[in-house]
Amino acid sequence: DQQVKQNSPSLSVQEGRISILNCDYTNSMFDYFLWYKKYPAEGPTFLISISSIKDKNEDGRFTVFLNKSAKHLSLHIVPSQPGDSAVYFCAASAMGYGNKLVFGAGTILRVKS
Amino acid sequence: SAVISQKPSRDICQRGTSLTIQCQVDSQVTMMFWYRQQPGQSLTLIATANQGSEATYESGFVIDKFPISRPNLTFSTLTVSNMSPEDSSIYLCSVRPSTGELFFGEGSRLTVL
């Protein structure tokens, strides 16, 4: 039972354009959402998060949008840079589940120069 | 944030043997976790490493297969016992300081022949 889904296994974007990575979840108890970036041979690194009380959080080139009614969140990267090429994982947690993180399968982003 | 060191970073093992992975954190943390990332799949929580008591395992993971030690608040080990090729994965140690996000080590890439 995949509670967090990233339906696009890969995405290719031109440098300077916007990258939009999508994530859907099924458990309405989730109240905290995070995005992680992972380069090959490295552990995932935290990118940005959003609480369910918000619908948008911005940090530099990265913005996360949350649509609770649709159980959908997205990560926008503007402008995209070749160094952004990595695997991006969406994750969710709920206080009622001990705050354990549930991860999506990841989306490979390739930014072409 | 937290700096997490894992050893070994990679290893090739024979079927039926066991391997112990070490995780060292540069500060005391209460919450420490072990994750697995099988090829092409998401990060799956194996267990929560509890200091001074038995680890808490997720559904599908058992202590006999993945014994965990947590002797203090900065160190933990995960052993993968009686390995088979299906255990070939990246094993990741992670910690959660007081903030909501998880910090990950670089991972230990295990290949079982």
Side-chain angles (χ1 to χ4, degrees):
Chain A
D1 174 30
Q2 265 192 302
Q3 296 188 68
V4 178
K5 299 177 185 178
Q6 293 176 256
N7 291 319
S8 297
S10 65
L11 175 68
S12 188
V13 171
Q14 196 68 35
E15 180 179 7
R17 306 293 291 269
I18 184 171
S19 295
I20 300 177
L21 298 115
N22 293 304
C23 178
D24 297 292
Y25 60 96
T26 57
N27 191 336
S28 57
M29 297 291 289
F30 287 142
D31 54 15
Y32 189 61
F33 305 89
L34 308 90
W35 284 94
Y36 282 81
K37 179 169 73 173
K38 185 181 186 299
Y39 293 117
E42 295 184 14
T45 55
F46 170 73
L47 202 54
I48 193 169
S49 64
I50 188 167
S51 162
S52 60
I53 63 173
K54 293 186 174 182
D55 53 20
K56 176 182 175 181
N57 189 25
E58 194 171 351
D59 183 1
R61 296 187 296 114
F62 302 91
T63 303
V64 56
F65 295 91
L66 175 63
N67 183 334
K68 289 188 291 293
S69 61
K71 295 191 179 68
H72 177 83
L73 65 155
S74 60
L75 174 68
H76 293 210
I77 306 173
V78 182
S80 301
Q81 299 173 354
D84 296 329
S85 298
V87 180
Y88 289 79
F89 290 99
C90 168
S93 69
M95 281 189 63
Y97 294 107
N99 289 316
K100 297 173 190 173
L101 287 190
V102 179
F103 285 85
T107 297
I108 301 170
L109 174 65
R110 296 187 185 90
V111 180
K112 299 175 289 188
S113 55
Chain B
S1 66
V3 177
I4 305 167
S5 302
Q6 274 187 245
K7 283 194 284 191
S9 58
R10 59 176 61 230
D11 208 340
I12 300 173
C13 302
Q14 296 298 319
R15 182 195 298 258
T17 62
S18 299
L19 178 75
T20 296
I21 302 166
Q22 298 181 4
C23 176
Q24 179 73 53
V25 189
D26 69 340
S27 59
Q28 293 187 338
V29 289
T30 303
M31 305 296 288
M32 186 179 277
F33 309 90
W34 286 98
Y35 280 82
R36 178 175 76 178
Q37 185 188 10
Q38 292 180 300
Q41 298 191 24
S42 181
L43 290 81
T44 302
L45 180 63
I46 297 172
T48 302
N50 302 308
Q51 193 266 329
S53 65
E54 196 170 281
T56 305
Y57 289 83
E58 297 300 305
S59 175
F61 298 96
V62 295
I63 187 171
D64 289 346
K65 177 66 176 177
F66 298 101
I68 289 171
S69 78
R70 179 91 192 270
N72 55 54
L73 292 177
T74 64
F75 185 79
S76 177
T77 66
L78 168 75
T79 299
V80 186
S81 303
N82 188 24
M83 288 183 285
S84 67
E86 291 71 35
D87 295 320
S88 297
S89 290
I90 300 173
Y91 292 86
L92 296 141
C93 172
S94 67
V95 301
R96 173 180 277 146
S98 57
T99 51
E101 62 265 24
L102 280 180
F103 294 90
F104 286 88
E106 292 185 349
S108 299
R109 182 181 293 271
L110 180 60
T111 302
V112 184
L113 303 177

